[in-house]
Amino acid sequence: MRHPQTPDLTEAERARILAKSALFDPPPAALADGRRELVGLSRSELAEEMAAISEAPFRARQLWHWIYHRGETDFSRMSSIARPLQRKLAECFVIGRPEAASVQTSADATRKFLFRFRDGQEAETVYIPDPHEDRGAVCLSSQVGCTLSCRFCHTGTQLLTRNLGAAEIVGQFMAARDAYGEWPSPKGETPRLLSTIVLMGMGEPLYNYANVGKAMTIAMDGEGIALSRRRITLSTSGVVPMMDRAGAELGVNLAVSLHAVRNDLRDELVPLNRKYPIEELIAACRRYPGASNARRITFEYVMLKGVNDSVADARELVRLIAGIPAKINLIPFNPWPGSRFETSGAAAIERFAGIVMDAGFASPVRTPRGRDILAACGQLRTEGRRPPVHLPARAPLRARPARLQP
Ligand code: SAH
Ligand code: SF4
């Protein structure tokens, strides 16, 4: 049998994933001088911090507005807070941002930030402006590296160093907004340029669900950044048990990295398939809450020349997803140094898209953005800056199977 281990989709399996993921959590968000980071706290944690310094709960609400609605990082500019309290807050807390270690802008205006966090770890964030309208998407990383090793992905060549914390995840978005001066004006004009989040950067968001969920809950809070859940898309390589949880708790748009329609091929391209095979992945998509024609599930499909781009593949794809409100994003493979695949030719992509479209699914071909600065899908990679020393000895999360020969 191809998949002898039937995945256990019970709460116990979710608990196992969450416990394993917690081993990779970031160091505590406190500075050497003892001040504590306010970004990344939930509303109730922020209220607890106020209680700890004997301040009334309404201060938490005031701060929330300054931190997440106005994007303020300096207590002394919080005009609704009296000077003595501003000083007290500044003694106890900081409102931090990841430091931009480098910023590169592509010929097509896509911008890639290399963000450095307090412990020196780094991750990349990409801003992708819409070429036609005054808006754009911020592509956030969820981990430094990735435990999975999808064969076509540059991040997959970098072992997981650690998860990003909620502050670091929402902090990437806030720092990108800073860079574009994109916070609401005091008059309340809404920012448009940075108005969408895609969790499609480095890492597998559903293997860092606790922090990703917390960060997105902050981003969706109506009194702060206030992005609607329709403006957030979480992309997963198929961590089936956590898909249900994300759907129920966050209800954000779902994108699924499918890339192959047969288990033998997907086992090689997306090794997580050995654990959660195609049938179970598709079943999880069918039960994803809120999927409708207005809110379709996106299937991402990287076009690899001679590997997954045949007519038979396209036909099997439409058979697999029949009845799911879905669109198929065809992503021409983006090469990276040392990659071993080729991008499908234009004719093959057109033929594939035609079959999918004839079956009634939108099948946009994604225009590569930021390829010249290695900012396109699957090109992100940083150097883990030190071994994950805070981790206890453990078995690897997965064995690396032999390399596929494309
Ligand atoms: N880890 C998550 C999200 C990040 S990747 C996931 O895998 O879904 C965002 C998308 O880019 C995924 O669909 C991923 O499979 C795809 N991708 C990875 N490497 C790529 C490459 N070299 N060219 C094109 N797309 C790639
Ligand atoms: Fe990780 Fe996604 Fe890259 Fe796969 S495609 S290695 S899950 S980041």
Side-chain angles (χ1 to χ4, degrees), residues 152-154 199-201 203-205 235-237 257 259 300 302 331-334 336 377-378:
F152 44 80
C153 174
H154 204 193
L199 285 153
M200 295 188 181
E204 167 49 59
S235 174
T236 180
S237 54
S257 296
H259 306 316
E300 293 156 290
V302 60
I331 316 177
F333 168 67
N334 294 308
W336 35 270
C377 294

Side-chain angles (χ1 to χ4, degrees), residues 387-400:
V389 283
H390 60 292
L391 298 178
R394 63 189 167 79
L397 278 185
R398 50 93 194 82
R400 271 173 196 255

Side-chain angles (χ1 to χ4, degrees), residues 119-152:
D119 62 350
Q121 296 298 344
E122 295 174 335
E124 294 184 317
T125 304
V126 181
Y127 174 61
I128 310 140
D130 187 304
H132 308 295
E133 286 182 63
D134 261 1
R135 61 193 176 114
V138 187
C139 177
L140 303 181
S141 289
S142 55
Q143 299 182 306
V144 179
C146 190
T147 52
L148 304 171
S149 43
C150 303
R151 292 289 167 265
F152 44 80

Side-chain angles (χ1 to χ4, degrees), residues 299-351:
F299 287 97
E300 293 156 290
Y301 198 95
V302 60
M303 298 299 292
L304 304 170
K305 186 175 191 171
V307 174
N308 66 353
D309 60 354
S310 71
V311 167
D313 288 316
R315 296 217 172 105
E316 177 59 11
L317 173 60
V318 298
R319 194 194 65 78
L320 263 182
I321 63 169
I324 302 181
K327 77 168 174 195
I328 320 299
N329 243 337
L330 299 175
I331 316 177
F333 168 67
N334 294 308
W336 35 270
S339 61
R340 303 168 67 159
F341 293 99
E342 282 178 66
T343 309
S344 303
I349 297 181
E350 213 172 292
R351 189 180 56 189

Side-chain angles (χ1 to χ4, degrees), residues 26-54:
L31 277 69
D33 61 13
R35 283 181 301 160
R36 296 186 297 282
E37 176 60 75
L38 291 185
V39 175
L41 300 183
S42 65
R43 270 178 180 270
S44 58
E45 288 167 339
L46 190 56
E48 281 164 26
E49 289 292 351
M50 291 305 106
I53 60 161
S54 312

